[in-house]
Amino acid sequence: MEAKACAKSVRISPIKARLIADLIRGKNAKEAQIILDNYNNKAARLIKKVLDSAIANAINNNKMDEKKLFVSEARVDMAPTMKRMMFDSRGHVGRKDKRCSHIIVKVMEK
């Protein structure tokens, strides 16, 4: 049995968030929380929120033991991109893409 939590359309580039998600995949849930606490960037803060939610779902909804939980899946997918205009040289108008992410974290019991 597994518990899942997701955050949709989070305003961070998926490439930046995947670097942090790779660090916690397969780790013990408590160890993953410690890893994310010690990283000082936006992706770590956002993924920690989702991880905490997945752990709470496992404990409250599925009656799993907190000490036996591990991160079975930590995935960051591409969300719709916000396209904004940016003034360019010689009177042109360029485009600035503001990328968003879907963050999915699943925890399982060993």
Side-chain angles (χ1 to χ4, degrees), residues 77-90:
D77 297 331
M78 184 88 151
T81 302
M82 295 188 290
K83 295 160 181 87
R84 300 291 180 253
M85 76 176 196
M86 180 180 67
F87 297 107
D88 213 348
S89 62
R90 296 180 295 140

Side-chain angles (χ1 to χ4, degrees), residues 1-3 54-69 109:
M1 191 129 198
E2 67 182 9
I55 292 170
N57 289 341
I59 293 168
N60 296 324
N61 300 344
N62 299 339
K63 308 290 188 253
M64 293 183 189
D65 185 19
E66 186 176 4
K67 294 178 179 126
K68 295 180 183 176
L69 291 177
E109 214 172 29

Side-chain angles (χ1 to χ4, degrees), residues 16-100:
K16 292 177 186 177
R18 278 187 199 121
L19 292 171
I20 304 299
D22 291 342
L23 293 173
I24 65 166
R25 194 175 298 120
K27 297 265 191 323
N28 184 359
K30 203 63 167 169
E31 187 180 337
Q33 284 178 322
I34 293 168
I35 289 170
L36 293 175
D37 276 336
N38 289 313
Y39 266 84
N40 184 22
N41 63 11
K42 184 178 177 179
R45 287 189 293 273
L46 293 170
I47 292 173
K48 183 169 187 323
K49 272 185 167 179
V50 180
L51 176 64
D52 290 343
S53 179
I55 292 170
N57 289 341
I59 293 168
N60 296 324
N61 300 344
N62 299 339
K63 308 290 188 253
M64 293 183 189
D65 185 19
E66 186 176 4
K67 294 178 179 126
K68 295 180 183 176
L69 291 177
F70 76 100
V71 180
S72 62
E73 183 178 345
R75 196 172 76 221
V76 179
D77 297 331
M78 184 88 151
T81 302
M82 295 188 290
K83 295 160 181 87
R84 300 291 180 253
M85 76 176 196
M86 180 180 67
F87 297 107
D88 213 348
S89 62
R90 296 180 295 140
H92 293 279
V93 176
R95 196 172 88 183
K96 183 144 187 135
D97 291 342
K98 298 190 178 262
R99 308 215 183 264
C100 297

